[in-house]
Amino acid sequence: MEAVNVNQFTEGPVCVHVIQSKTYKTNTLVLHIRAPLTKEDHTKRALLPLVMQSGSKDYPTRQKIRQSLDELYGASLTGDVNKKGENHLISFRLEVANERYLKDNTPLLEEAFKMMTSVVANPLVEDGGFKDSILTSEKRNLKQRIESVYDDKIRYANMRLNEEMCKDEPYGLFVYGNASELDEITPAALYDYYKKIMQEDVLDLYVVGDVEVDEIKKLVQAHLAFPERKDQTPSSAEKEKTRTIEENEIIEQQDLKQGKLHLGYRTNITYQDDEYFALQLFNGLFGGFSHSKLFINVREKASLAYYAASRVESHKGLLMVMSGIETSNYDKAVRIIREQMEAMKNGDFDDAQLEQTKAVLKNQLLETMDAPRGLVELMYHNELGEKKRELDEWIPGIEKVTKEDVVSVAEKVELDTIYFLKGTEDDSGE
Amino acid sequence: MNKQTFDQLNETLYYEQLDNGLDVYILPKAGFNKSFATFTTKYGSIDNHFIPLGKKDALKVPDGIAHFLEHKLFEDEDGDVFQLFSKQGASANAFTSFTRTAYLFSSTSSVEQNLKTLLDFVQKPYFTEESVEKEKGIIGQEIKMYDDNPDWRGYFGLISNLYEYHPVKIDIAGTIESINEVTKDLLYTCYETFYHPNNMLLFIVGNVDPEEMMKLVKENQAAKEFSKPEKIDRFFEAEPPEVDQASQEIAMNVKTGKCLVGFKDRSPDRQGEALLKHELSINILLEMMFGPSSENYETLYEEGLIDDTFSFDYSGELGFGFSVIGGDTSKPDELSDRIKSMVEEFVKRELHEETMESIRKKKIGYFLKSLNSPEYIANQFTRYQFNDMNLFDVIPTLESITIEDLNAAMAEHFKTDTQYSKCLVKPKGDS
C-alpha cells in the first residue's frame, strides 16, 4: 500500500486535513459541516446547500457559478446533505484538474478554492435573507427530490424501513427533510439558520492531491477565514441507549411487479467499539459479498432474487438487508434469511470462509483508498466517532478477527423490523 | 510489445495482438493499490441474428441471450467463479451492453492469479439444462426490477420510438417470455460464435509490470486451442433514417413524471476518427444547448420545469446513434414542447466561439478526471477500440473541433421534424 501522507492543522474553527498524493490528475476539496440530526432543523438543513450553490456574493446566479466552473476546466462543485449515524452533514465537494496536465497554466486550485469558499462563506443576501426567487426554486427542487424517493422503490423501501424502525430516534428522520415543512421556511429564517451553523457546527476541510501544505494554509487563511469561536465543546449526537427490541413486521402494498423485502437489525456495535472490525466480517459473511450466505442461499440456491445483500451503518450500528422478490415468495424468503442469521449465530462457517471474507474486505478497503473521495470518507470516520483509528490500523484490525469474535458479534445482532413492500401483480404466470 | 506514450497525460500504453487474434492492452498506473482488468467480447444485445460458427444459415436467437450467457459463464464444474475470485481477494463482475459483454475483476493483491482466473473462466463455458433453468428465476427478477424502474422504462420507451427494426430497441435482458426460450444448446452456439479470442479484447490497468503481465497472458493463451479466426456475419434489417414513432406515454406508479426526448442519427455508419469527431461534436452541442451553464437550463429551471436530475447523453455505435435529453418533471408535456422549441431556436442561431471554448475546457477537465478511474479507462478504451477509435485521442480531437464541425453535426442530428421523438412517464391515473 502506498503511504498516505496526511497533515492536519486548524485555522479558526476549521480543521484542515491535507492528503498529499501524486496518484491523481485532479485535486479534490471536501468540506463537511456537521451537526446533530434534529426534527426541528432537518428540512432547513437539507435546503441550505441547494440555496447556497445557487448564488453567492461574487457569483449571484446559478448560471454564473456554472459558467465559472466550466472555465476552470469543468471543475465540479456539489453541495448536498448526508446522514452519518445521527449526524446531519452538509458537504461541499469540489474536484478540479491539476493544471500540470494542461497546456494552460491558470492556477486552477486557487481559483477553484475561491469558488467553493465564496459559496460557503459569502452567500448572496438581500434584505437580511437569502434571495427570494432562489429560495422558491430550490424549495421546488427539494420537494421533487423528496418525492422522487417514492419512485425509486429500493430507496423508498429503505426510507420506510428507517422510518418505522427508528420512529422515536433522530435516525428515523429522512435525510432530505419533510416536504410539508418547506412552505414555512422564509428567506430570513433560512439565513438565520445559516449564521447559526457557521457559528456552531463542526467544520472539517479535506484537500487531496499533489499539493503543498503551505499553499493550502495560505488559501484557507485568505479565503476561508471564520471568526474564532468562544470556547465550546462541539455538540455531538446522543449516544444510543440500550433498548428492548420487539420484532416488528410492516407490510405495504403498491402497484409493482417486484416486491421489496428489507430487514433491519440492531447490531449494538458501532465504529466506537473494539468489535467494529468483527462486525465488518460478520456482515461480509452474512450478506456483504457474492460469497456470503444471503447471495448463495437466496439467489444462487433458491433462485428467488437477483439481489440479496446486507450493509452496515457504522455510526448507528444498524444492519440492513435488502432483496427484490416475487410477492408470493415472501414467507420463503424471510425464512431463508432468518435461517442464515441463525447459521451465523451458530458459527456455521469455516476458517476458509473467514479468510476469504478478510481478503475481500482488505481488497475493498484498499480500493476505497484509491479514490480521493473514498480516502476522505474513511478518514472522516475518525471525526464522527470518539474513537481514532489511523488508516494503517484497519488492515491489521481485520486480520486479527477470529471466528469466536464473529460469533460473539452475531449473538448481539437482533432483528428489529421486517418491512415488505408487496406488489399487486398476479405473478402466477411465470 | 508495442508501446505508445502520451506525454501530456503522463501515461504509457502497451499493446500486442496475440497469434489467436486476441488484442491485449496494458496501462501501468503507479500509485494505485488496485489493478483492474476487463475481458470483453464484441457481442451484445443487438447481435441476435447471425451465422453460427461453422454453419451456413443465419439464426435468430431469443432476446436477452447475450446477457443470459454473461450470467451463466460465472458457473463452472467446480462451482461459482465469484467464489474463486473472492478467495483470491478480488471482486468480479460483468455487464452486457448493446454491443459488448465485459467480464472484469479488481484486486489489490494476487493480480496474476486473478488474471488467470479471468481468462480461464471466460474461456471455459459450462452449461447444464438444470443450471440454465435456475438462472431463469434470477434473471426474471432482474427483469422485474427494471420493469418497476421509471428511468429504465422511459429510456427504453424512447429508444423503441426511435427505431423501427434495429435490435437496439430491445431491452438488454430480454423479457420473461424470451428468456424462457433460452436453452443450453443455444447458449453454446452463441458462445462458440462470439467468444473467439479474435473477437475479444483484454485490458489491464493498475499497479502492474507490463512485461510480466504480457508474458502471463501469452503463456495462458498458448496453452489453449482455438479454431482459426473467422469473420462473424451479423445481420441487421435496413433501418429507415427517420424515427419510427414521434411520441409515447407510459403510465406508472410514480409521483413525479419524467420527460425524455431523443434525436436519432440519420446515417449511423461512422467509425474511427469520424465517429469520435461526431460524438464529441454532439456532446459539445448538447452542453451548449442544455448544460447547467446554458441560458436554456437557467430558463427551464426558473420556470420549474426541471430539477437537478435533468441531463443528456449521446450514444453512438456502428448501426445506431442517438441523443437523449430529459429528467424528472411535474409537467412532462410542457417540458418536451419547450425542449423541442429550444432546439429549433438553437439551430437557427449562430454558434459562439466563446461558448465553444468554455465547453471545450470543461470537456478536457472532465476527461482528466475520468483518468483517475481505472474502470472508466478500461471500459471506455475497449468501446473506443471496437469502433476503431483511441481513447487517448479524445483531448487532441476536442482541441481540433471547429465551429464548422459543430454546424455540420448540428444540421444533421438536431432535426425536429424527422429525427425527434419523446417518451413521457406519467403518474398512473394522471393523464
Side-chain angles (χ1 to χ4, degrees), chain A residues 323-372:
Chain A
S323 183
I325 57 166
E326 209 66 70
T327 292
S328 57
N329 284 331
Y330 174 70
D331 291 328
K332 196 171 169 189
V334 170
R335 180 173 51 75
I336 296 175
I337 293 169
R338 281 183 191 276
E339 282 167 6
Q340 304 321 306
M341 183 57 84
E342 275 313 302
M344 290 299 301
K345 289 181 194 280
N346 294 331
D348 185 10
F349 54 91
D350 58 29
D351 283 337
Q353 286 163 325
L354 185 68
E355 288 311 309
Q356 183 176 357
T357 310
K358 285 182 183 177
V360 181
L361 263 179
K362 282 190 282 183
N363 182 52
Q364 194 183 49
L365 196 60
L366 288 167
E367 285 193 15
T368 305
M369 293 179 193
D370 270 344

Side-chain angles (χ1 to χ4, degrees), chain B residues 129-181:
Chain B
E129 292 294 359
E130 194 204 347
S131 74
V132 168
E133 283 315 304
K134 206 188 261 174
E135 203 65 31
K136 289 177 183 174
I138 297 171
I139 295 177
Q141 287 309 315
E142 188 178 1
I143 290 170
K144 289 191 171 187
M145 178 179 81
Y146 283 111
D147 274 346
D148 285 332
N149 181 318
D151 289 307
W152 188 258
R153 292 277 301 277
Y155 183 71
F156 270 92
L158 180 65
I159 300 173
S160 67
N161 284 356
L162 297 176
Y163 290 89
E164 186 174 358
Y165 302 112
H166 198 283
V168 68
K169 67 187 286 179
I170 300 165
D171 197 309
I172 290 165
T175 62
I176 304 274
E177 293 73 35
S178 73
I179 61 166
N180 255 323
E181 295 165 31

Side-chain angles (χ1 to χ4, degrees), chain A residues 25-26 62 70 74 101 138 141 145 150-151 254-255 257-258 296 303 326 356 363 366-367 370, chain B residues 8-9 11 33-34 83 86 89 106 108 134 141 144 148 253 255 293 301 308 369 372 428:
Chain A
K25 290 186 165 61
T26 54
R62 192 180 305 98
D70 285 359
Y101 298 103
E138 291 313 314
N141 189 12
R145 195 187 273 206
Y150 178 88
D151 304 345
Q254 277 187 22
D255 179 8
K257 300 227 168 150
Q258 185 179 65
I296 289 182
S303 199
E326 209 66 70
Q356 183 176 357
N363 182 52
L366 288 167
E367 285 193 15
D370 270 344
Chain B
Q8 179 84 25
L9 297 171
E11 304 280 5
N33 295 311
K34 162 159 75 181
Q83 292 279 352
S86 68
S106 68
T108 51
K134 206 188 261 174
Q141 287 309 315
K144 289 191 171 187
D148 285 332
N253 170 30
K255 277 193 180 164
S293 57
Y301 198 99
D308 49 24
K369 249 181 259 179
N372 280 345
K428 246 180 198 170

Side-chain angles (χ1 to χ4, degrees), chain A residues 283-310 321-323 333 336-337 340 356, chain B residues 70-72 74-75 79-84 86 92-94 134-135 138 142:
Chain A
N283 181 55
L285 282 157
F286 177 61
F289 300 111
S290 58
H291 68 273
S292 55
K293 291 194 181 297
L294 292 182
F295 188 88
I296 289 182
N297 291 289
V298 180
R299 174 177 150 135
E300 297 295 296
K301 287 199 180 145
S303 199
L304 291 183
Y306 171 62
Y307 65 95
S310 68
V321 170
M322 37 195 158
S323 183
I336 296 175
I337 293 169
Q340 304 321 306
Q356 183 176 357
Chain B
E70 173 225 299
H71 270 240
K72 277 327 307 161
F74 278 95
E75 196 161 300
D80 186 347
V81 182
F82 282 125
Q83 292 279 352
L84 193 53
S86 68
N93 214 335
K134 206 188 261 174
E135 203 65 31
I138 297 171
E142 188 178 1

Side-chain angles (χ1 to χ4, degrees), chain B residues 1 22 82 102 149 168 182 192 217 229 235 240 251 259 304 345 418 428:
Chain B
M1 192 158 50
L22 179 65
F82 282 125
N149 181 318
V168 68
V182 172
E192 301 301 342
V217 175
F235 302 97
C259 159
E345 268 308 301
T418 53
K428 246 180 198 170

Side-chain angles (χ1 to χ4, degrees), chain A residues 31 49 83 183 323 341:
Chain A
L31 178 71
K83 200 161 74 169
D183 289 342
S323 183
M341 183 57 84

